[in-house]
Amino acid sequence: MEKRSFVGCLFYMIYGFFIFGSSKAEMVPAVYVFGDSLVDVGNNNYLTLSIAKANHRHYGIDFPTHKPTGRFSNGKNAADFVAEKLGLATSPPYLSLTSKANKNNVSFMDGVSFASAGAGIFDGSDARYRQSIPLMKQVDYYSIVHEEMTREKGAAGLQKHLSKSVFVVVIGSNDLFGYFESSDLRKKSTPQQYVDSMAFSLKLQLQRLYDHGARKFEIAGVGTLGCCPEFRLKNRTECVVEVNYWSVKYNEGLQSMLMEWQSENGGIIYSYFDTYAAINDLIQSPASYGFSEVKGACCGLGELNARAPCLPLSNLCPNRQDHIFFDQFHPTEAASRIFVNTLFDGSSSYASPINMRQLVAA
């Protein structure tokens, strides 16, 4: 075995088993992840111009390696917990697989993450972060991966593999953040027009995934965006009602779109996760979930720790377990674990028309 191949194999053994391994039996062959910073596991570390990177302390402080990994969390994020539930290693970042060090030793059959911090459904949603991989580009990358897997497995074999795999899509928050922070966008379209356009544009990309073999989808709505520490800071520590209202309206449009999309295509099975309801539960009844701080960020500066991003010189709360938010926008590992437990086994008030456990069994 040549030296590069050995190093590549060793890398994946460590990545897949030592850090993320699970003793559970695999429930699906692979997970393919699309989305934003809620599920990014390191793609943005490979984007030279991006300022949306979690590659510094205090990110990763509670991760198994106690080092930053590119996840916007003190530890694991939702993508890690979904993989654990399914008995799989976390799907690695696409850009890590295509980097020079690993180019010759790559198989995409075990799952890939295309998610990128700052990404939106619309291409321009990442402007304030200088660079990310918007959803259309993520699906472009998947199309390339699909071609390579077809060569590796053959069309029939690949379709069998993909029809049993799960395609996770967590996106939309940055589009809404962008709208409410841009006077230009608000002049161009009403909030209703904007959220309708978000759902329509997402449908186009979901269709592309379907056309390239995807059949089982786990799709998350957006959360209580107006209750993020960043927005509370602008509203005397209270949630911004208008932002939450349009978060709900987008989620309603998303659910209608998914039902329509399913009726137009044969073989689609999906689970929609009501992220808004799940986060709202934590905010309304924090003590019953083990939380005591619902407004402020664990890592940051100033009031609510929300006047600045989580940076190496930022304040860090001593107990990450009692905070819902780790930084201005993102949940702590503890909160993400609860969300995925609910996504996987939750009732129809959180996961509809089926939950993820039912999705993988279908």
Side-chain angles (χ1 to χ4, degrees):
M1 183 182 292
E2 66 178 22
K3 186 176 180 182
R4 180 180 287 182
S5 297
F6 175 76
V7 171
C9 287
L10 186 61
F11 171 82
Y12 288 110
M13 284 173 67
I14 293 171
Y15 188 96
F17 295 101
F18 176 67
I19 297 175
F20 305 100
S22 173
S23 59
K24 294 180 184 176
E26 295 178 3
M27 298 174 71
V28 298
V31 178
Y32 297 91
V33 182
F34 303 81
D36 54 30
S37 53
L38 294 172
V39 285
D40 184 357
V41 292
N43 272 310
N44 275 31
N45 287 351
Y46 295 85
L47 298 178
T48 309
L49 300 178
S50 179
I51 59 170
K53 291 180 181 176
N55 60 351
H56 55 78
R57 66 191 295 264
H58 302 278
Y59 291 112
I61 189 170
D62 299 313
F63 198 70
T65 58
H66 305 292
K67 293 179 180 178
T69 62
R71 291 162 175 78
F72 284 79
S73 171
N74 57 301
K76 297 178 181 179
N77 68 17
D80 298 307
F81 290 123
V82 166
E84 285 182 12
K85 287 284 188 185
L86 297 173
L88 296 170
T90 298
S91 300
Y94 172 73
L95 295 181
S96 75
L97 296 175
T98 57
S99 68
K100 289 180 181 178
N102 301 314
K103 232 172 192 178
N104 297 340
N105 312 294
V106 171
S107 172
F108 300 111
M109 299 297 292
D110 296 329
V112 187
S113 173
F114 303 91
S116 169
I121 296 168
F122 299 134
D123 282 5
S125 300
D126 66 331
R128 60 181 175 166
Y129 301 115
R130 296 188 189 164
Q131 187 183 29
S132 73
I133 312 169
L135 184 59
M136 182 183 290
K137 185 67 174 178
Q138 292 181 32
V139 179
D140 287 347
Y141 283 150
Y142 171 72
S143 300
I144 296 168
V145 164
H146 186 273
E147 287 181 21
E148 296 200 21
M149 291 192 296
T150 302
R151 285 194 289 271
E152 181 181 338
K153 196 85 174 174
L158 177 59
Q159 186 52 46
K160 185 178 180 182
H161 170 83
L162 294 176
S163 68
K164 295 177 181 177
S165 299
V166 172
F167 288 73
V168 175
V169 183
V170 181
I171 203 158
S173 300
N174 288 315
D175 300 284
L176 286 167
F177 286 141
Y179 181 81
F180 285 104
E181 293 180 359
S182 168
S183 56
D184 286 346
L185 284 176
R186 298 188 78 160
K187 286 174 187 172
K188 288 176 183 175
S189 57
T190 66
Q192 188 64 60
Q193 290 170 334
Y194 189 79
V195 297
D196 288 348
S197 182
M198 283 173 63
F200 176 78
S201 299
L202 176 58
K203 183 182 179 183
L204 296 178
Q205 300 311 316
L206 293 176
Q207 186 65 42
R208 291 177 65 201
L209 294 178
Y210 175 84
D211 292 342
H212 285 85
R215 293 297 180 268
K216 293 187 177 186
F217 295 85
E218 178 63 50
I219 298 170
V222 299
T224 54
L225 302 185
C227 296
C228 291
E230 165 93 348
F231 276 104
R232 283 185 185 269
L233 183 65
K234 300 172 182 177
N235 196 41
R236 299 179 180 178
T237 79
E238 298 306 313
C239 299
V240 178
V241 174
E242 184 189 15
V243 177
N244 279 351
Y245 177 83
W246 289 108
S247 298
V248 170
K249 286 297 179 186
Y250 167 69
N251 287 340
E252 290 173 354
L254 170 59
Q255 291 176 81
S256 298
M257 177 274 282
L258 290 173
M259 287 187 279
E260 178 186 84
W261 177 59
Q262 185 182 46
S263 71
E264 294 168 352
N265 297 277
I268 290 173
I269 311 169
Y270 75 86
S271 175
Y272 164 80
F273 179 59
D274 191 342
T275 313
Y276 190 102
I279 297 181
N280 201 44
D281 273 4
L282 268 57
I283 292 170
Q284 299 302 323
S285 307
S288 59
Y289 293 95
F291 297 104
S292 59
E293 177 54 67
V294 303
K295 295 184 176 183
C298 170
C299 181
L301 289 169
E303 187 181 2
L304 299 179
N305 262 355
R307 290 204 176 277
C310 181
L311 297 167
L313 296 177
S314 296
N315 299 322
L316 181 71
C317 67
N319 183 6
R320 273 78 66 188
Q321 299 300 312
D322 62 15
H323 279 64
I324 294 175
F325 291 97
F326 183 65
D327 61 15
Q328 295 166 303
F329 300 105
H330 303 99
T332 55
E333 178 184 85
S336 292
R337 180 183 283 110
I338 291 170
F339 299 150
V340 173
N341 286 342
T342 308
L343 170 153
F344 204 79
D345 286 308
S347 67
S348 58
S349 56
Y350 300 101
S352 59
I354 55 177
N355 59 35
M356 193 173 193
R357 186 180 294 278
Q358 295 163 326
L359 175 71
V360 299

